Amino acid sequence: MTAHLPWTAPTAAQPVSTTVRLPGSKSMTARALVLSAIAVGPSTLAHPLRARDTEMMAGGLRAMGVNVSTVDDDRWVVRPDTLQGPAHVDVGQAGTVMRFMPALAGLAQGPVTFDGDPSVRQRPLRPLIDALGSLGVSIDAPATGSLPLTVRGTGRVAGGEVVLDASASSQLVSGLLLAAPSFDRGVVVRHVGPPVPSAPHVRMTVQMLRAVGAGVDDSARDVWSVEPGKLTGRGWTIEPDLSGAMPFFAAALVTGGSVTLLGWPRSSAQPVDRLRALLDQMGGEVSLGTDGLTVRGTGVVHGLDADLSEVGEMTPVLAALAALADSPSSLRGVAHIRGHETDRLAALARELTALGAKVTDTADGLEIEPRPLTGGVFRTYEDHRMAHAAAVVGLAVPGVELDDVACTSKTMPDFPALWSAMVTGK
């Protein structure tokens, strides 16, 4: 865990006008690391995300015998080897490590233990533990179905068909699919329950599996089938992180400025069309040009009425925008973000209310009625997305003091410097 670092969010004196080059997508980096670890031959990751979550993933793979070189910030190299135990994987606060690595550990020759920061022990893991057990993986876990746990790897996983409720996190599905080509019989995953949140992340998993030669059938709703087979090492080009870009895009709306995210691809596995629709409803304009993805604002933010189930990671920043809007907002479909780094709905309601907004925490979202806001301490709960939300509010409200900005190192270690440079123009 990093030491807490208080920080006063800078207030914008004029419209921001900037181009930013942000770190690579956490989701793509994590998936590329896992797939590279079980491929035949080496793989490279160009423009990966170097942050706490991905360092934890690389460290976990190294502990299990995979050669992961991260010496070059902009080009990581993965050379797969036989997965080995005994090993210990520190997941930190990373849901991707906690949910992607246990299936790999079943393929290791020996026991692999998992644990992380105290808060991560509260995050949903039982469906994955039970699913791996039904596929032939022996796991020792507490009765709560959470970390810490030990996977007793035997060097192989039988695989087969499994039914689970993945309504708490799409990572429960992706964690099974990513390792499935190395299972004896592959896997058929059937989701039964409320809708799987963050569906674009599962689509990203499927696309990346196919890119390394896996046979994947996702034609039936809530059913994913992965055939057993060899994966091919390859070069991955990691896209900029769309969720990480959200606070910067929000700055364009709040200040009536323009922000361009450099290096955005013409075709993306991330939910850019959904982002475009949401920001358009709030008064922004999103365009894709040769230089990147640009968001422009007018300085007037409109309220938002939307189901955010596919883009739950964007909820904190959208809630911050809603608190600065000219009309009420209704954000729905994100009950699952109660199980993220913190209960984000309760935390957002508490902190935005403390600054003066009227916020109602509903079963699956937030009702936000804008009111005049004042500065004050905004607690981040060791959650990078809460820090992003506070920074957005601080653009328009002087004196917003984050109790900890160091938590942004989870996905963007340079966030405070990048943000201050954008706001001050220096």
Side-chain angles (χ1 to χ4, degrees):
M1 297 176 64
T2 54
H4 281 207
L5 178 65
W7 186 68
T8 300
T11 301
Q14 57 192 10
V16 300
S17 179
T18 190
T19 58
V20 292
R21 187 176 294 280
L22 296 183
S25 161
K26 177 188 74 171
S27 299
M28 290 192 71
T29 301
R31 284 161 175 78
L33 284 171
V34 172
L35 292 171
S36 299
I38 57 173
V40 176
S43 296
T44 58
L45 282 66
H47 317 306
L49 169 67
R50 181 186 289 278
R52 189 174 186 231
D53 277 16
T54 52
E55 293 277 17
M56 292 290 184
M57 179 74 81
L61 292 174
R62 288 191 195 101
M64 292 166 59
V66 179
N67 185 316
V68 184
S69 172
T70 59
V71 175
D72 184 339
D73 281 343
D74 212 41
R75 185 178 182 272
W76 291 3
V77 181
V78 181
R79 294 181 175 86
D81 204 341
T82 302
L83 299 176
Q84 298 284 351
H88 175 70
V89 177
D90 181 355
V91 312
Q93 277 198 330
T96 48
V97 180
M98 180 177 73
R99 300 190 181 111
F100 291 1
M101 295 287 282
L104 281 185
L107 297 164
Q109 297 178 345
V112 182
T113 61
F114 293 82
D115 203 1
D117 294 358
S119 60
V120 85
R121 295 183 178 184
Q122 311 302 317
R123 302 185 70 176
L125 198 56
R126 167 64 72 188
L128 180 63
I129 293 171
D130 292 345
L132 287 172
S134 71
L135 295 173
V137 179
S138 175
I139 301 180
D140 298 335
T144 53
S146 60
L147 296 180
L149 59 81
T150 299
V151 177
R152 302 200 172 277
T154 61
R156 56 180 293 270
V157 174
E161 185 167 336
V162 65
V163 177
L164 82 164
D165 179 352
S167 59
S169 173
S170 64
Q171 292 172 354
L172 298 167
V173 174
S174 290
L176 293 170
L177 301 184
L178 288 166
S182 294
F183 296 172
D184 293 351
R185 292 185 287 149
V187 78
V188 176
V189 177
R190 297 182 184 276
H191 162 70
V192 176
V196 178
S198 304
H201 285 94
V202 180
R203 292 197 289 271
M204 178 188 292
T205 296
V206 170
Q207 289 178 25
M208 294 181 71
L209 276 162
R210 288 174 175 155
V212 286
V216 186
D217 183 354
D218 63 344
S219 57
R221 181 181 177 86
D222 290 336
V223 180
W224 301 267
S225 176
V226 180
E227 299 174 3
K230 299 293 186 181
L231 304 182
T232 304
R234 57 161 288 168
W236 296 99
T237 299
I238 307 300
E239 301 173 5
D241 193 291
L242 195 61
S243 295
M246 272 300 293
F248 296 89
F249 290 155
L253 270 68
V254 172
T255 69
S258 173
V259 173
T260 297
L261 175 59
L262 298 175
W264 189 256
R266 281 286 170 184
S267 177
S268 172
Q270 299 180 76
V272 67
D273 288 340
R274 186 69 182 123
L275 167 75
R276 187 192 306 270
L278 292 167
L279 294 186
D280 178 74
Q281 189 175 333
M282 300 195 86
E285 177 189 323
V286 182
S287 60
L288 178 60
T290 56
D291 51 349
L293 191 66
T294 298
V295 176
R296 294 180 176 84
T298 63
V300 177
V301 181
H302 304 313
L304 178 67
D305 184 353
D307 182 326
L308 303 180
S309 57
E310 290 199 341
V311 290
E313 283 286 314
M314 299 180 185
T315 303
V317 167
L318 291 171
L321 283 172
L324 300 172
D326 63 358
S327 59
S329 293
S330 177
L331 311 181
R332 305 179 301 283
V334 285
H336 62 285
I337 70 171
R338 295 189 186 280
H340 283 206
E341 284 80 348
T342 187
D343 179 340
R344 286 179 174 167
L345 295 179
L348 286 164
R350 191 178 301 119
E351 300 309 312
L352 292 173
T353 296
L355 298 184
K358 182 180 179 181
V359 184
T360 303
D361 178 358
T362 68
D364 73 337
L366 298 169
E367 300 289 331
I368 301 174
E369 184 178 322
R371 291 179 175 180
L373 302 182
T374 59
V377 175
F378 192 107
R379 290 174 295 172
T380 58
Y381 306 86
E382 298 182 353
D383 186 337
H384 56 146
R385 303 300 183 204
M386 291 294 294
H388 294 167
V392 169
V393 175
L395 290 168
V397 181
V400 175
E401 301 175 7
L402 285 68
D403 70 337
D404 175 37
V405 76
C407 61
T408 57
S409 66
K410 176 179 169 67
T411 51
M412 197 184 302
D414 294 334
F415 176 79
L418 288 168
W419 189 260
S420 295
M422 175 189 68
V423 177
T424 63
K426 298 179 182 178

